[in-house]
């Protein structure tokens, strides 16, 4: 069981609900991060949906998949690879953090903080922040038509969620019985 | 009018190159006559999967004419030596769209009857480059994580062993000391040590709870 640092009258049920809520939030974050990393919709126009792995172009009402190396973004391919790597690392670390949290629920001595989980989640937060920042700074800087797609927005939302979860894990203590 | 004879044109059969590199397409011919001043070379290009042929190079009367409007604009260079019957061209900074067939037609007047020879160009993407940085970053970070976790647990294990061996030594010394005194034999020392350490742990956890 877990509880907040300040002593409050906590019934069994509320701690169970809180625990379920945290785990649910963590799973949601994992799903959002995975969608953001896998789907190719960081930058979207009427006929193009692109990044991080490939470019979808709508020609004659049919979507075609092309390489990013040949497109105008090809010159920034090194930066794109960094964004790819940090985005994947964010997914890996946040999934790892979930498993470590579940393990620590059973193995952590009473009254201790979930530090390892918190640290892993913090690293995931850092990674997705690096990915989104590099992408914002280097790509599609002055392009007129088009805007950021749902994957880009999900990346920033995941940044907020992972940060909140990391702080939660670093503050939370295992309840003493 | 002089009688024209056959001319035989030679090019390569196939050329392979990587994207971004340069390739030299060689063209030479055999003719019974001396090389005339009006010798001419012509290169034409047909992209893969297309039926259109475009002219990209022409050499005549000592002047090479390079493509300045088509797909090879600013990428062609004449590196041949017409005096030595060499009409080779150099294509720079290859792209995947340059895949196709290049045909060389040489004429050494009055020997103009000949079959133009073709060379097929195959441009390959460098398979190693794509994704090297991505893989390197992921591998290094995960490797570091594993290393840190292993070192952490190793340190804990070593420290615990050290503590245990020290407590055993301490217990042995006590045993020897009491035997010299010839007093009552104290109870088994390892269990005493264990009880002491568990007591300490209980006290520590009580402190943490607060």
């Amino acid at each position: 069981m877990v509880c907040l640092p300040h002593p409050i009258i906590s019934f069994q049920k509320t701690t169970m609900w809180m625990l379920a809520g945290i785990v649910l939030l963590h799973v949601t974050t994992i799903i959002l991060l995975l969608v953001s990393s896998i789907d190719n919709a960081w930058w979207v126009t009427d006929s193009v949906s692109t990044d991080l792995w490939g470019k979808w172009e709508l020609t004659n009402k049919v979507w075609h998949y092309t390489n990013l190396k040949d497109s105008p973004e090809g010159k920034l391919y090194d930066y794109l690879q960094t964004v790819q790597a940090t985005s994947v690392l964010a997914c890996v670390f946040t999934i790892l953090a979930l498993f470590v949290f579940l393990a620590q629920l059973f193995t952590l001595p009473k009254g201790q903080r979930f530090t390892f989980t918190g640290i892993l989640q913090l690293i995931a937060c850092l990674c997705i922040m690096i990915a989104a920042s590099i992408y914002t700074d280097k790509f599609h800087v002055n392009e007129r038509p088009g805007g950021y797609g749902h994957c880009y927005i999900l990346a920033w939302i995941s940044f907020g969620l992972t940060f909140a979860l990391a702080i939660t894990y670093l503050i939370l203590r295992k309840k003493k019985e | 009018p002089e009688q024209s004879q056959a001319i035989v044109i030679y090019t390569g059969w196939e050329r392979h190159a990587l994207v971004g590199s340069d390739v030299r397409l060689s063209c030479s011919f055999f003719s019974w006559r001396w090389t005339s001043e009006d010798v001419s070379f012509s290169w034409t290009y047909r992209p893969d999967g297309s039926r259109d042929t475009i002219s990209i190079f022409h050499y005549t009367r000592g002047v090479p004419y390079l493509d300045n409007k088509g797909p090879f604009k600013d990428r062609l260079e004449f590196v041949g030596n017409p005096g030595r019957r060499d009409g080779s061209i150099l294509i720079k900074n290859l792209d995947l769209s340059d895949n196709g067939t290049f045909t060389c037609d040489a004429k050494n007047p009055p020997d103009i009857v000949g079959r133009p020879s073709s060379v097929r160009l195959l441009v390959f993407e460098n398979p190693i480059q794509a994704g090297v940085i991505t893989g390197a970053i992921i591998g290094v970070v995960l490797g570091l994580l594993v290393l840190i976790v292993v070192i952490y647990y190793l340190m804990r294990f070593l420290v615990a062993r050290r503590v245990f061996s020290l407590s055993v030594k301490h217990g042995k010394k006590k045993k020897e000391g009491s035997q010299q005194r010839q007093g009552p034999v104290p109870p088994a020392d390892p269990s005493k040590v264990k009880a002491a350490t568990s007591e300490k742990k209980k006290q520590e956890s009580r402190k943490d709870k607060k």
Side-chain angles (χ1 to χ4, degrees):
Chain A
M1 299 302 143
V2 300
C3 74
L4 295 170
H6 297 290
I8 49 170
I9 303 168
S10 51
F11 298 102
Q12 193 97 350
K13 265 191 179 174
T14 47
T15 51
M16 280 291 288
W17 279 117
M18 216 176 77
L19 190 64
I22 289 176
V23 171
L24 194 68
L25 189 65
H26 201 141
V27 171
T28 311
T29 310
I30 291 175
I31 293 174
L32 291 184
L33 266 175
L34 284 174
V35 168
S36 166
S37 305
I38 295 174
D39 199 6
N40 283 304
W42 282 63
W43 179 262
V44 169
T45 67
D46 286 337
S47 58
V48 167
S49 174
T50 181
D51 297 334
L52 300 163
W53 309 98
K55 192 170 185 171
W56 287 98
E57 283 170 334
L58 181 67
T59 44
N60 302 327
K61 296 185 183 174
V62 180
W63 285 98
H64 294 282
Y65 188 78
T66 56
N67 260 334
L68 280 172
K69 253 195 152 178
D70 312 321
S71 68
E73 286 97 55
K75 294 172 203 164
L76 298 169
Y77 199 59
D78 293 345
Y79 286 107
L80 191 72
Q81 286 188 54
T82 317
V83 176
Q84 287 173 351
T86 40
S87 170
V88 167
L89 280 174
C91 294
V92 167
F93 277 114
T94 195
I95 292 174
L96 219 65
L98 183 66
F99 285 116
V100 169
F101 176 60
L102 292 175
Q104 283 197 313
L105 268 179
F106 297 110
T107 64
L108 205 65
K110 313 277 185 200
Q112 291 247 335
R113 293 190 158 121
F114 295 91
T115 5
F116 197 26
T117 313
I119 289 175
L120 286 177
Q121 191 72 318
L122 204 63
I123 296 175
C125 175
L126 194 72
C127 284
I128 191 64
M129 186 189 80
I130 292 174
S133 305
I134 294 179
Y135 192 82
T136 317
D137 185 40
K138 292 282 171 188
F139 292 87
H140 311 285
V141 180
N142 287 319
E143 275 182 44
R144 274 303 126 192
Y148 287 113
H150 60 270
C151 290
Y152 177 81
I153 297 168
L154 282 181
W156 280 114
I157 292 177
S158 309
F159 162 69
L161 287 176
T162 46
F163 188 67
L165 275 171
I167 300 294
T168 310
Y169 288 130
L170 287 173
I171 290 180
L172 222 53
R173 281 181 191 276
K174 199 166 179 193
K175 194 166 125 187
K176 57 216 180 274
E177 301 257 26
Chain B
E2 294 176 38
Q3 259 194 347
S4 70
Q5 288 175 330
I7 181 176
V8 186
I9 304 173
Y10 306 102
T11 61
W13 179 251
E14 246 179 29
R15 285 285 174 269
H16 302 174
L18 289 175
V19 171
S21 67
D22 306 338
V23 70
R24 182 201 164 107
L25 301 174
S26 60
C27 178
S28 177
F29 66 86
F30 172 79
S31 158
W32 287 109
R33 291 185 206 278
W34 297 113
T35 313
S36 104
E37 280 175 7
D38 292 333
V39 68
S40 72
F41 289 95
S42 258
W43 279 96
T44 57
Y45 168 65
R46 182 172 63 85
D48 264 351
S50 165
R51 285 191 193 170
D52 301 326
T53 314
I54 63 165
S55 276
I56 60 169
F57 175 81
H58 190 67
Y59 174 92
T60 185
R61 297 202 182 163
V63 182
Y65 298 90
L66 304 165
D67 173 21
N68 58 359
K69 279 195 201 312
F72 296 99
K73 181 182 172 180
D74 299 329
R75 290 201 289 144
L76 273 183
E77 204 183 306
F78 181 55
V79 293
N81 189 344
R84 292 188 191 275
R85 304 183 170 184
D86 179 9
S88 307
I89 56 169
L90 180 76
I91 308 177
K92 294 182 266 201
N93 195 16
L94 283 168
D95 191 48
L96 287 171
S97 58
D98 293 332
N99 270 289
T101 313
F102 291 79
T103 310
C104 176
D105 190 13
K107 299 200 188 311
N108 185 23
D111 291 347
I112 55 147
V113 180
R115 185 179 296 164
S117 173
S118 300
V119 56
R120 182 115 192 270
L121 178 66
L122 295 162
V123 183
F124 296 104
E125 183 78 64
N126 190 343
I128 303 174
Q129 263 185 3
V132 164
I133 299 177
T134 313
I137 294 177
I138 294 177
V140 164
V141 172
L142 289 181
L144 277 175
L145 180 74
V146 168
L147 199 70
I148 289 172
V149 167
V150 163
I151 290 178
Y152 173 74
Y153 278 109
L154 201 69
M155 297 301 287
R156 264 179 60 167
F157 174 69
L158 287 175
V159 167
R161 256 181 69 173
R162 188 110 199 273
V163 165
F164 183 68
S165 63
L166 277 176
S167 59
V168 166
K169 274 189 195 172
H170 185 68
K172 276 187 184 168
K173 278 187 183 170
K174 255 192 173 178
K175 204 179 181 182
E176 285 170 11
S178 59
Q179 276 178 353
Q180 282 173 359
R181 270 189 267 136
Q182 288 179 345
V185 182
D189 287 295
S191 59
K192 209 181 183 183
V193 168
K194 272 184 188 173
T197 46
S198 63
E199 265 293 308
K200 277 186 187 172
K201 275 185 184 171
K202 278 184 185 171
Q203 285 172 359
E204 279 177 10
S205 56
R206 275 180 209 152
K207 277 184 193 172
D208 279 334
K209 282 175 203 169
K210 285 180 187 170

